[in-house]
Amino acid sequence: MPRGRIAQRLRLAPGQRVRLRDAQAAERLGWDEDEAKRALDANRERLEQLQYKMYADGRFGLIVLLQAIDAGGKDGTIRHVVSAFNPGGVQVTSFKAPSPEEARHDYLWRVEARIPPRGMVGVLNRSHYEEVMAARVRRLVPRGTWEARYAHINAYERYLTDNRLRLVKLFLQISKKEQKRRFEARVRERHKQWKFTPSDIADRAQWGRYHRAFEDALCHCGSAWAPWYLIPADHKWFRNFAVSQILREELEALPLRFPRPEYDPRKIRIPD
Amino acid sequence: MPRGRIAQRLRLAPGQRVRLRDAQAAERLGWDEDEAKRALDANRERLEQLQYKMYADGRFGLIVLLQAIDAGGKDGTIRHVVSAFNPGGVQVTSFKAPSPEEARHDYLWRVEARIPPRGMVGVLNRSHYEEVMAARVRRLVPRGTWEARYAHINAYERYLTDNRLRLVKLFLQISKKEQKRRFEARVRERHKQWKFTPSDIADRAQWGRYHRAFEDALCHCGSAWAPWYLIPADHKWFRNFAVSQILREELEALPLRFPRPEYDPRKIRIPD
């Protein structure tokens, strides 16, 4: 199996319909753990350089949107990949169930409030996609309401793109077996117990309905301007490497440059 | 010279008046570069563990406040030390000259808006101290106005402390010679030129007045509840090590614990 072109192979085509099968979640595209870890290290260095240039440039921003089922690895991806960036240029937002104030607003309000200025990396840990996933599976709104949201989301993401904010959407896919292993570790290990609540079991029981909702969102909101990437995430090392590779390629595709100084460097003398 | 107790030796006593002399800025307290770098690496690992526990605990927050003259190393400290934390639990704010909207507000408004929830690390890159430094040196307000601010600041910092937000204030001290070297590097190196503006030379000409203002702020706002640390910062490796050591000791002094789960772990079975 060819090992190259990771980002291209994981990117979904606009409107592409995928079936989320558990077997895909352990995919590694021919990579082994050691080489993936070395590649991750190299990508981390490069990501910091690219971010520095994007910050200096100031014309473009990067928004990384993370979605996954519980224990899918969103936090771990932030810890192992997003940590490569200078924290002064990153803004991470973890969206929870809407607060009473958030719920009184239109549903994109809290997202837009957390879009950083250009020059920065914004990370959305969960996002407006909960409005067509959790809201649908838990039947918080009728079908007509969540169906209308695909068009809102596409228009909003187009707007961000037109504003030179590159939106990269990552769906981390784990298998049902792997979720069980991770839940069991959370329940067993003292320092992880706070991450688990018994209601996680109720959500797990909706596995099929969640994945049907994910499949629809990947298809209806897989646009030419804001692609979805489907990341096999049972192997944490592969997930980290793949995400680092995608972010690297996405940043390398931006026409970044250091701004010309507004002064003539040859004429500057710093006095003692 | 004894090499231990770094944090204790750099912490100013409440109300302590110091004279900022250039010779202090190259201090290294007996450490050499290699051992300081190894200690930094160890501290970085420990910082991430402590942050994880503080996040899980949720009862305490840490606010790291950075002040320095231009090119004093605030950004570098964030890049090399704050980057040890999981970015999902950090919020860095770089304060610039107040925007028109900010300037219409009371001067603590924009600071308070950027104090993160408990469980998080907040980093203030510049802060309300500009209101008794830049505002004073540039004569933006009369003496009576900035003099009254020391009491506001002490009361505000006391309030944060009473709310279980530990405030750690770091003044990075460089020598005038070192600032010149760093300015020259910025002007000379293409990828750093954007960080320099000719107005930096005008501020440099006010070196003495800025340092008098810093000395007053360190003295008047060096409180028992929110201490100032005076960091010799000519050697970047020493600065990074010293800051990591201070943050480590500050976090270790918090009575952090993992919360008890609201369920009985022995009774949880994850269904297939």
Side-chain angles (χ1 to χ4, degrees), chain B residues 180-194:
Chain B
K180 180 173 177 165
R181 267 193 292 269
R182 295 185 186 181
F183 277 173
E184 284 172 344
R186 288 181 180 186
V187 169
R188 191 175 56 238
E189 296 172 38
R190 181 71 190 92
H191 69 285
K192 290 184 180 173
Q193 286 170 345
W194 63 280

Side-chain angles (χ1 to χ4, degrees), chain B residues 107-151:
Chain B
Y107 68 88
L108 292 176
W109 176 80
R110 66 174 186 162
V111 177
E112 181 58 17
R114 300 299 295 165
I115 300 296
R118 283 181 283 261
M120 304 270 294
V121 178
V123 178
L124 309 181
N125 183 353
R126 301 183 189 272
S127 68
H128 45 280
Y129 281 97
E130 295 297 330
E131 310 292 342
V132 291
M133 292 176 177
R136 166 181 172 177
V137 172
R138 295 178 188 173
R139 298 190 170 87
L140 305 179
V141 293
R143 168 180 284 267
T145 301
W146 57 257
E147 277 186 341
R149 289 175 174 169
Y150 297 127

